[in-house]
């Protein structure tokens, strides 16, 4: 980031964010891009009114001082010359407490207009929502208006109107000013005419309305107002606060807020999962995001809030000191006390669930803020020096904590650098291939992360002609259990069997969780390798507890073909990374601001994770050939699933093959265009949902996708897409004679909380419990989160059926080896692979999913649900014991 970019981010960045937020909120409420421009102009005019009012006063003071001094200055210039004139003028200036640069005070209004003009120009000129939209006589707000044609020449009328309004306003404003000031004002109006003549009409409309509001202000300013008689008020107790201490409280409060929102909170987010902010195929240090958030925070709280403070009188400055001291204290309380239960968040600062609060929570938060504001008012009046020292110490503490976070981030990034080099070497040496045999036997384990079991009957029945043929031979097990709601708990049993359930992991105290997790990932590949199979592993989940799986866990087995394919096929990778950078550079600061805000405002600031970015919902209207702008994590998996057929190659030598494959396409879900279920930048399913909103399963049960639950919709759509892509791959296997000799297991590590749709609500049995929470994890009271997909197609199997047998995803290794490997044993512990453990009590664990912080010998701060029985639909089988 160069010097100019830094200045833009520091000075213009906060203004652009403000414009974006105001416009987005106005657009949601008016539904009209044109009216939203007018609302934006009015809001900015009101926002700047105190500054302009103070600027006018400063300019008047300067003009009055210049007029008082002018006769004597003229006399000196007439009598003296050269150095003598200079020395006498300097003496005269000093006697009148005047410095020559005070002349710049006459340009304060202009200096204020310049950054706001530049920010508005940058924001409105590129605003996609204005493209092709008409407003009154304006045909397209995204281009010059061209409303008038004179002798075949198109004339942009709006800039001319803007200039006329500007001149009229200037005539009123400068009536008592000297000629020089009037010429400056009219010249500025002509400069704006030249600058904006060929600009988009939306921008010109904004500036025209600014001038209209300025004209109204000047007219009202000229109307004589009778001042009420001043009543002498009784003397109030003198505050101990001095101007110096007031300034100290204000500035340290601002610096504190800037450090908190620009450095500490963003660094905490990145530190919590650094690997999510690093793309090993497009390696860049994630600390660059901290520079952006710090500049935005410093520009917001130090620069622009400082401008307001500096241009205010003493009384106003005292109020500023109280407000910002209270804001700093409230920010800490909101962040630490009232902001600990939002759930999982992505690297784009989007939560997995909506942000909402009850009226009671909001009231409690407001009462706490009111108490803090009262306390700060008292301290500013009575002990400002002490308060200043406290804030100064807190600023130092924030710097120390942030530096510590940045050190951790750098260490994690260094690990990514080392691993990225290994990945590059691997990819240069070999292209990812799925090996399947035409003459031998194939075993395929497809892990669909967070796939929801309850969707399966509706998915298969929505497109029966397509799905029935391709899923013929499968057995669907709806009565299946997972051992945790997150991958670090739910996937080890899936890959390694019952020795890797939470109880099994806890029983082995000689290995870290990451080591036991790695061992689970090796159980099936090594077991099949030792039995003569050609083994391929793709994207083994969280290998070595890294987001990008560390394939070195298989280094002792060079015969295993290991690949990281997520992101391998991603087209437009540089464009996608640029898009991701833009979102993170903006949203990290917005997220911090959201976290310190009162809960009454948090939903408004967050707004479904777009933080009031106007173009978030229309970003792709001019880029329809590109998918850049969609969830990049989804796209990385989407392209892999689309390339299943191109990755598949046939082994003709009669050898047996084993494939272990994982995808997060069903985890990093997005809305898709129906009925094709394809990713598009602009999705509109209104017509399809109106006719097909209620899905029906073969047994007659229904699922209302059009109910308004966005998370239900996007999870269903992404699950449907994954099944359609699998169906296409299955068709390819059939066409090439690699179907009857292939056993396929489709399984997920866990599902998702579909409250009120699937599963049971445990509050029916435990009404006093809304949600059990551990320090960093949560137990969802809807059991659907623990009901993963499990479907099995055996060799030569025909027909589709549903089985009610009680299963868990820890049965996967047994199902994979059944009748192929005699008396299979875990190659690392020597214990038999069986399913006997599922007939006793099973303990489901919820814990911190941040595996980097949860890598001891047992899961930390875990909450336990006991499952006792064999029917996941029987609420009496689910037992929650209060610790």
């Amino acid at each position: 980031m160069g010097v100019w970019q830094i200045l833009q981010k520091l000075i213009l960045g906060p203004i652009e964010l403000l414009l974006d937020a105001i416009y987005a909120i106005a657009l949601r409420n008016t539904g009209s891009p044109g009216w939203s421009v007018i609302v934006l102009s009015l809001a900015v005019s009101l926002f700047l009114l105190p500054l302009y009012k103070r600027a006018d006063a400063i300019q008047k003071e300067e003009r009055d001082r210049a007029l008082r001094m002018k006769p004597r200055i003229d006399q000196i210039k007439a009598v003296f010359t050269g150095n003598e004139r200079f020395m006498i003028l300097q003496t005269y200036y000093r006697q009148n407490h005047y410095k020559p640069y005070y002349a710049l005070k006459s340009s304060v209004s202009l200096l204020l207009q310049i950054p706001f003009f530049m920010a508005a120009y940058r924001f409105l000129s590129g605003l996609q929502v204005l493209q092709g939209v008409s407003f009154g006589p304006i045909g397209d707000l995204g281009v010059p208006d061209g409303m008038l044609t004179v002798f075949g020449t198109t004339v942009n009328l709006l800039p001319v109107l803007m200039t006329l309004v500007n001149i009229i306003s200037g005539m009123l404003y400068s009536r008592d000013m000297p000629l020089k000031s009037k010429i400056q004002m009219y010249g500025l109006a002509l400069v704006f005419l030249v600058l904006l003549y060929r600009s988009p009409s939306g921008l010109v409309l904004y500036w025209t309305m600014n001038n209209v509001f300025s004209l109204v202000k000047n007219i009202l300013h000229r109307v004589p107002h009778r001042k009420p008689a001043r009543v002498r008020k009784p003397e109030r107790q003198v505050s101990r606060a001095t101007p110096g201490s007031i300034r100290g409280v204000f500035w340290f409060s601002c610096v504190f807020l800037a450090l908190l929102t620009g450095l500490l909170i963003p660094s905490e987010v990145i530190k919590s999962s650094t690997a999510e902010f690093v793309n090993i195929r497009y390696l860049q240090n994630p600390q660059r995001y901290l520079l952006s958030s710090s500049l935005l925070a410093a520009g917001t709280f130090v620069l622009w809030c400082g401008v307001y403070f500096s241009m205010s009188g003493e009384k106003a400055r005292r109020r500023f000191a109280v407000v910002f001291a209270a804001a700093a204290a409230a920010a800490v309380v909101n962040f630490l006390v009232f902001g600990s239960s939002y759930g999982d968040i992505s690297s784009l600062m989007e939560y997995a669930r909506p942000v909402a609060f009850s009226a009671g929570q909001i009231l409690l938060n407001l009462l706490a803020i009111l108490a803090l504001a009262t306390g700060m008012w008292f301290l500013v009046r009575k002990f400002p020096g002490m308060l200043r020292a406290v804030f100064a110490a807190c600023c130092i503490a924030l710097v120390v904590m942030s530096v510590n976070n940045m050190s951790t981030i750098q260490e994690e990034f260094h690990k990514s650098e080392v691993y990225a080099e290994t990945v590059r070497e691997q990819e240069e040496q070999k292209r990812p291939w799925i090996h399947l045999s035409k003459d031998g036997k194939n075993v395929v384990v497809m892990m669909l992360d967070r796939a929801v079991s309850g969707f399966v009957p509706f998915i298969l029945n929505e497109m029966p002609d397509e799905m029935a043929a391709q899923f013929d031979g499968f057995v669907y097990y709806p009565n299946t259990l997972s051992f945790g709601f997150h991958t670090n708990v739910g996937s080890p049993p899936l890959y390694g069997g019952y020795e890797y359930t939470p109880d099994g992991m806890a029983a082995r105290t000689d290995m870290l969780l990451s080591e036991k997790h790695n061992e689970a990932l090796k159980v099936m590949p090594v077991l099949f390798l030792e039995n003569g199979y050609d083994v391929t592993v793709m994207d083994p989940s969280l290998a070595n507890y890294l987001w990008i799986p560390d394939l070195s866990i298989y280094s002792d087995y060079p015969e295993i073909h290991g690949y990281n394919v997520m992101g391998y096929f991603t087209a437009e990778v540089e464009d996608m990374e640029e898009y991701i950078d833009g979102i993170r550079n903006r949203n990290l600061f917005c997220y911090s601001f959201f976290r310190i805000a009162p809960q009454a405002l948090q939903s408004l600031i967050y707004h479904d994770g777009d933080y009031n970015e106007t173009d978030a919902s229309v970003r792709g209207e001019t880029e329809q050939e590109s998918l850049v702008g969609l969830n990049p994590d989804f796209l990385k998996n989407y392209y892999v699933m689309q390339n299943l057929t191109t990755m598949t190659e046939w082994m003709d030598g009669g050898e047996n093959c084993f494939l272990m494959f994982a995808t997060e396409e069903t985890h990093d879900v997005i809305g898709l265009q129906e009925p094709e279920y394809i990713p598009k930048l602009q999705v509109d399913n209104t017509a399809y949902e109106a006719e097909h909103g209620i899905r029906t399963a073969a047994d007659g049960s229904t699922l209302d996708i059009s109910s308004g639950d966005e998370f239900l919709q996007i999870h269903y759509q992404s699950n449907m897409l994954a099944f359609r892509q699998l169906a296409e791959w299955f068709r390819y296997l059939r066409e090439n004679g690699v179907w009857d000799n292939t056993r396929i297991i489709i399984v997920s590590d866990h599902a998702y909380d579909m409250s009120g749709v699937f599963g049971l609500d445990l509050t029916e049995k435990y009404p006093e419990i809304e949600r059990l929470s551990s320090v960093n994890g949560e137990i969802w009271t809807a059991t659907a989160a623990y009901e993963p997909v499990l479907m099995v197609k055996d060799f030569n199997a025909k027909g589709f059926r549903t089985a009610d047998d009680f299963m868990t995803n820890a049965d996967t290794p047994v199902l994979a080896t059944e009748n192929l490997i005699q008396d299979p044993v875990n190659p690392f512990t020597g214990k038999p692979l069986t399913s006997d453990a599922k007939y006793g009590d099973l303990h489901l664990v919820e814990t911190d999913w941040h595996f980097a912080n949860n890598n001891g010998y047992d899961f930390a701060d875990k909450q336990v649900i006991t499952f006792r029985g064999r029917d996941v639909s029987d609420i009496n089988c689910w037992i929650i014991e209060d610790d």
Side-chain angles (χ1 to χ4, degrees):
M1 188 179 289
V3 175
W4 175 240
Q5 286 78 16
I6 289 175
L7 291 175
Q8 283 184 324
K9 185 71 73 172
L10 179 69
I11 300 172
L12 303 183
I15 303 175
E16 291 179 22
L17 276 180
L18 177 67
L19 297 178
D20 201 359
I22 293 173
Y23 190 88
I25 295 169
L27 185 60
R28 289 199 299 272
N29 286 277
T30 65
S32 167
W35 280 110
S36 298
V37 169
I38 295 174
V39 172
L40 175 66
S41 179
L42 175 60
V44 172
S45 296
L46 293 175
F47 182 77
L48 289 175
L49 188 60
L51 289 183
Y52 282 144
K53 185 177 180 180
R54 180 58 181 158
D56 290 345
I58 292 173
Q59 288 174 295
K60 186 176 185 305
E61 290 172 8
E62 173 56 27
R63 288 195 302 271
D64 292 344
R65 184 199 297 264
L67 287 173
R68 288 196 309 269
M69 295 174 63
K70 188 176 185 304
R72 181 59 175 161
I73 292 173
D74 290 344
Q75 183 182 5
I76 293 172
K77 288 181 177 180
V79 175
F80 301 98
T81 60
N83 288 335
E84 188 177 15
R85 174 199 287 178
F86 176 78
M87 297 300 294
I88 294 175
L89 280 174
Q90 291 299 313
T91 302
Y92 181 62
Y93 290 154
R94 188 165 53 253
Q95 290 172 345
N96 287 272
H97 307 290
Y98 178 81
K99 295 180 181 179
Y101 66 80
Y102 284 1
L104 293 175
K105 291 183 178 181
S106 63
S107 302
V108 172
S109 292
L110 176 61
L111 293 175
L112 286 173
Q113 286 187 55
I114 290 174
F116 277 85
F117 171 75
M118 293 176 65
Y121 190 92
R122 285 162 53 92
F123 172 65
L124 291 169
S125 293
L127 199 60
Q128 291 187 26
V129 75
L130 297 179
Q131 303 300 317
V133 176
S134 63
F135 181 65
I138 304 172
D140 185 348
L141 289 170
V143 298
D145 63 269
M147 286 193 288
L148 189 63
T149 301
V150 179
F151 300 115
T153 301
T154 300
V155 177
N156 297 324
L157 192 59
L158 203 54
V160 177
L161 177 62
M162 174 197 71
T163 305
L164 291 175
V165 174
N166 204 354
I167 291 174
I168 295 171
S169 179
M171 291 172 62
L172 287 173
Y173 180 74
S174 63
R175 183 184 302 176
D176 300 325
M177 292 184 180
L179 179 62
K180 179 181 176 181
S181 297
K182 294 180 180 180
I183 292 175
Q184 182 187 59
M185 191 163 294
Y186 300 146
L188 186 61
L190 295 177
V191 168
F192 275 109
L193 173 63
V194 174
L195 288 176
L196 297 179
Y197 184 75
R198 297 189 182 278
S199 296
S201 53
L203 172 61
V204 184
L205 175 63
Y206 166 83
W207 208 252
T208 302
M209 296 310 301
N210 264 13
N211 292 334
V212 169
F213 296 138
S214 178
L215 175 61
V216 172
K217 181 195 72 173
N218 290 334
I219 291 173
L220 294 176
H221 182 70
R222 289 293 175 180
V223 175
H225 299 281
R226 177 178 297 177
K227 296 183 179 181
R230 298 186 64 180
V231 179
R232 185 176 180 84
K233 297 180 180 179
E235 292 187 4
R236 304 168 72 178
Q237 184 178 357
V238 179
S239 170
R240 296 183 185 179
T242 64
S245 61
I246 288 294
R247 285 195 299 270
V249 170
F250 171 79
W251 287 112
F252 277 118
S253 299
C254 288
V255 172
F256 178 87
L257 287 167
L259 289 171
L260 181 63
T261 58
L263 205 55
L264 181 66
I265 295 177
S267 64
E268 284 283 350
V269 173
I270 297 175
K271 185 192 76 168
S272 68
S273 186
T274 304
E276 287 192 82
F277 292 84
V278 177
N279 184 341
I280 60 171
R281 294 184 176 88
Y282 194 75
L283 200 64
Q284 293 192 71
N285 195 321
Q287 302 216 55
R288 68 192 189 278
Y289 300 126
L290 298 180
L291 175 59
S292 178
S293 61
S294 297
L295 289 172
L296 286 171
T300 300
F301 293 110
V302 180
L303 176 62
W304 285 109
C305 291
V307 167
Y308 271 82
F309 179 82
S310 300
M311 294 185 67
S312 300
E314 287 303 320
K315 288 185 178 180
R317 288 185 178 187
R318 291 177 185 273
R319 298 189 189 103
F320 268 109
V322 172
V323 168
F324 277 84
V332 175
V333 172
N334 289 335
F335 176 59
L336 296 178
V337 179
F338 290 96
S340 59
S341 59
Y342 296 96
D344 298 343
I345 190 170
S346 75
S347 65
L348 298 182
M349 305 298 104
E350 296 179 22
Y351 285 107
R353 302 294 294 183
V355 172
F357 305 99
S358 67
Q361 289 174 309
I362 292 174
L363 179 60
L364 181 62
N365 178 245
L366 291 176
L367 290 174
I369 293 172
L370 180 61
L372 287 170
T374 303
M376 289 300 110
W377 173 81
F378 176 78
L379 291 174
V380 169
R381 282 187 57 84
K382 299 296 184 181
F383 306 103
M386 182 193 73
L387 190 59
R388 177 179 57 188
V390 169
F391 276 123
C394 289
C395 289
I396 295 172
L398 290 184
V399 171
V400 171
M401 290 187 287
S402 299
V403 169
N404 182 61
N405 289 343
M406 293 165 67
S407 176
T408 303
I409 292 169
Q410 188 61 35
E411 291 175 5
E412 293 299 316
F413 176 66
H414 178 66
K415 294 178 184 177
S416 298
E417 285 183 305
V418 174
Y419 185 54
E421 185 62 32
T422 303
V423 171
R424 280 195 292 269
E425 292 175 358
Q426 292 173 343
E427 292 182 349
E428 288 173 0
Q429 295 171 3
K430 56 184 180 181
R431 183 187 187 279
W433 290 108
I434 294 173
H435 295 164
L436 294 178
S437 175
K438 285 194 171 185
D439 301 316
K441 291 186 179 296
N442 303 301
V443 177
V444 176
V445 175
M446 306 289 289
M447 201 284 272
L448 309 184
D449 196 332
R450 206 165 82 179
V452 178
S453 178
F455 288 147
V456 172
F458 303 98
I459 288 174
L460 298 182
N461 199 53
E462 182 173 344
M463 298 180 177
D465 294 339
E466 174 183 348
M467 295 296 190
Q470 303 311 323
F471 282 86
D472 181 72
F474 273 92
V475 179
Y476 165 53
Y477 295 94
N479 189 24
T480 301
L481 196 68
S482 173
F483 290 85
F485 180 53
H486 294 301
T487 300
N488 57 334
V489 181
S491 66
L494 183 159
Y495 290 116
Y498 287 90
E499 286 186 75
Y500 302 92
T501 64
D503 285 348
M505 300 275 265
R508 299 172 62 186
T509 58
D510 59 332
M511 299 172 68
L512 294 173
L513 288 171
S514 59
E515 295 171 329
K516 289 177 273 194
H517 185 97
N518 292 343
E519 189 177 278
L521 289 170
K522 293 187 287 186
V523 168
M524 286 191 288
V526 172
L527 185 56
F528 277 96
L529 181 69
E530 291 176 345
N531 283 272
Y533 280 69
D534 181 275
V535 175
T536 301
V537 176
M538 290 186 165
D539 291 327
S541 308
L542 302 184
N544 218 16
Y545 268 18
L546 291 174
W547 284 110
I548 305 296
D550 185 356
L551 299 178
S552 67
I553 68 170
Y554 300 107
S555 59
D556 292 336
Y557 309 92
E559 301 88 350
I560 293 177
H561 311 292
Y563 305 101
N564 281 322
V565 290
M566 186 176 69
Y568 182 88
F569 295 99
T570 304
E572 307 157 324
V573 62
E574 291 192 12
D575 291 340
M576 185 180 294
E577 288 303 317
E578 185 177 345
Y579 163 77
I580 294 171
D581 279 353
I583 294 295
R584 288 173 179 162
N585 282 328
R586 178 188 188 275
N587 284 4
L588 266 171
F589 171 69
C590 294
Y591 169 78
S592 298
F593 193 79
F594 148 78
R595 288 296 304 272
I596 69 167
Q599 287 185 338
L601 298 177
Q602 286 190 2
S603 295
L604 176 66
I605 296 170
Y606 177 73
H607 191 252
D608 299 330
D610 65 24
Y611 298 92
N612 294 297
E613 182 187 7
T614 302
D615 278 341
S617 61
V618 296
R619 183 176 287 108
E621 288 189 353
T622 59
E623 306 177 72
Q624 287 300 317
E625 299 304 317
S626 169
L627 292 180
V628 174
L630 296 180
N631 184 331
D633 294 326
F634 169 86
L635 288 179
K636 292 173 184 177
N637 289 279
Y638 166 76
Y639 284 122
V640 172
M641 295 290 284
Q642 287 290 95
N643 281 276
L644 284 175
T645 56
T646 63
M647 287 191 294
T648 304
E649 66 174 3
W650 315 119
M651 310 285 286
D652 296 321
E655 57 264 77
N656 301 322
C657 296
F658 172 76
L659 169 66
M660 191 172 81
F661 174 96
T663 180
E664 296 176 11
E665 186 177 51
T666 46
H667 183 285
D668 300 312
V669 297
I670 66 169
L672 300 169
Q673 184 62 53
E674 300 168 341
E676 301 87 356
Y677 292 95
I678 57 174
K680 290 183 66 176
L681 286 164
Q682 294 301 304
V683 171
D684 184 2
N685 293 319
T686 306
Y688 186 81
E689 288 299 329
E691 185 175 353
H692 305 283
I694 298 179
R695 273 52 166 190
T696 305
D699 63 0
S701 57
T702 60
L703 174 65
D704 187 359
I705 296 297
S706 61
S707 62
D709 186 336
E710 179 187 1
F711 285 85
L712 171 64
Q713 292 174 3
I714 63 178
H715 275 82
Y716 179 85
Q717 291 166 353
S718 296
N719 276 250
M720 170 63 94
L721 171 62
F723 272 75
R724 292 196 71 191
Q725 290 168 317
L726 288 177
E728 182 60 31
W729 189 52
F730 295 163
R731 179 184 291 108
Y732 182 66
L733 299 186
R734 279 189 169 89
E735 291 171 352
N736 287 275
V738 186
W739 181 253
D740 288 336
N741 66 327
T742 301
R743 172 183 289 168
I744 302 174
I745 301 171
I746 303 172
V747 61
S748 58
D749 52 347
H750 57 85
Y752 198 63
D753 176 16
M754 293 295 168
S755 302
V757 181
F758 301 125
L760 303 169
D761 182 358
L762 293 182
T763 59
E764 294 180 9
K765 184 178 180 181
Y766 303 97
E768 72 281 4
I769 298 175
E770 290 186 2
R771 183 186 294 171
L772 295 179
S773 296
S774 63
V775 173
N776 291 301
E778 295 172 334
I779 287 183
W780 297 86
T781 56
T783 63
Y786 305 94
E787 299 178 31
V789 167
L790 180 59
M791 301 174 69
V792 181
K793 184 204 80 71
D794 212 342
F795 303 111
N796 301 304
K798 305 295 180 184
F800 178 90
R801 68 184 181 91
T802 298
D804 292 329
D805 308 52
F806 173 62
M807 308 289 283
T808 79
N809 57 3
D811 290 320
T812 302
V814 173
L815 293 169
T817 59
E818 189 175 17
N819 299 324
L820 294 178
I821 299 175
Q822 186 175 4
D823 300 323
V825 298
N826 185 326
F828 302 99
T829 66
K831 295 182 180 180
L833 286 177
T834 72
S835 296
D836 295 344
K838 72 181 178 184
Y839 300 115
D841 284 358
L842 300 176
H843 295 120
L844 320 183
V845 163
E846 200 43 63
T847 184
D848 185 3
W849 66 269
H850 294 94
F851 44 84
N853 305 322
N854 192 2
N855 189 19
Y857 297 101
D858 190 10
F859 294 114
D861 303 311
K862 62 185 180 181
Q863 298 279 0
V864 179
I865 292 179
T866 299
F867 185 85
R868 182 177 298 152
R870 303 189 63 183
D871 185 357
V872 297
S873 64
D874 183 355
I875 198 167
N876 294 314
C877 294
W878 299 81
I879 301 169
I880 299 178
E881 297 176 347
D882 189 353
D883 293 338

